[in-house]
Amino acid sequence: QLQACGGGLVQAGNSLRLSCAASGRTFSTSAVGWFRQAPGKEREFVAVISWSGGGTEYADSVKGRFTISRDNAKKTVYLQMNSLKPEDMAVYYCTAGLRFSATSDAYVYWGQGTQVTVSS
């Protein structure tokens, strides 16, 4: 089970940190990804981190602004979002799976999502 939190309303240029807390024994061996979905748009990839934390990948639209990290002892993955833009506004979902992938169909377990609203 995955639970995402940390969303909220921020002004453009500011920062937020999302957290994805997991329960279960497989978290430490799972890749964890963040995806987002804006109203009227398809869900899109944001970032993914390997089970060890040694591998990360980002969507071009967030490179240099977002950082994904994990603490396996706490069974938590973080998404630090800096320099937020109005186009970052979406519901953010965390997901876990055995494959390190930027495609949503690689993942089985999804959290409930947390809303990020960015005002201009």
Side-chain angles (χ1 to χ4, degrees), residues 6 13 21 28 47 49-51 54 62-63 72 76 81 97 103 111 117-119:
S28 61
I49 189 166
S50 65
W51 68 270
V62 307
K63 277 181 184 175
N72 283 342
T76 302
M81 306 186 296
T103 57
T117 303
V118 184
S119 63

Side-chain angles (χ1 to χ4, degrees), residues 4-10 16 18 37-39 81 88-93 112-118:
C5 64
L9 170 63
V10 295
L16 275 178
L18 305 183
Q37 188 166 20
M81 306 186 296
D88 295 318
M89 185 163 58
V91 177
Y92 283 70
Y93 299 89
Q112 85 287 2
T114 185
Q115 176 70 49
V116 172
T117 303
V118 184

Side-chain angles (χ1 to χ4, degrees), residues 34-118:
W34 286 96
F35 288 75
R36 67 187 181 186
Q37 188 166 20
K41 295 187 177 181
E42 292 191 353
R43 189 171 297 186
E44 66 173 0
F45 167 73
V46 176
V48 60
I49 189 166
S50 65
W51 68 270
S52 66
T56 58
E57 186 176 333
Y58 297 91
D60 288 342
S61 58
V62 307
K63 277 181 184 175
R65 300 188 298 121
F66 291 12
T67 303
I68 189 170
S69 61
R70 68 188 296 162
D71 184 336
N72 283 342
K74 295 182 179 180
K75 294 187 177 180
T76 302
V77 169
Y78 305 97
L79 185 68
Q80 178 67 41
M81 306 186 296
N82 298 330
S83 303
L84 282 161
K85 304 176 180 179
E87 51 263 43
D88 295 318
M89 185 163 58
V91 177
Y92 283 70
Y93 299 89
C94 61
T95 182
L98 296 179
R99 286 171 49 201
F100 179 86
S101 176
T103 57
S104 60
D105 59 5
Y107 297 94
V108 176
Y109 305 104
W110 291 83
Q112 85 287 2
T114 185
Q115 176 70 49
V116 172
T117 303
V118 184

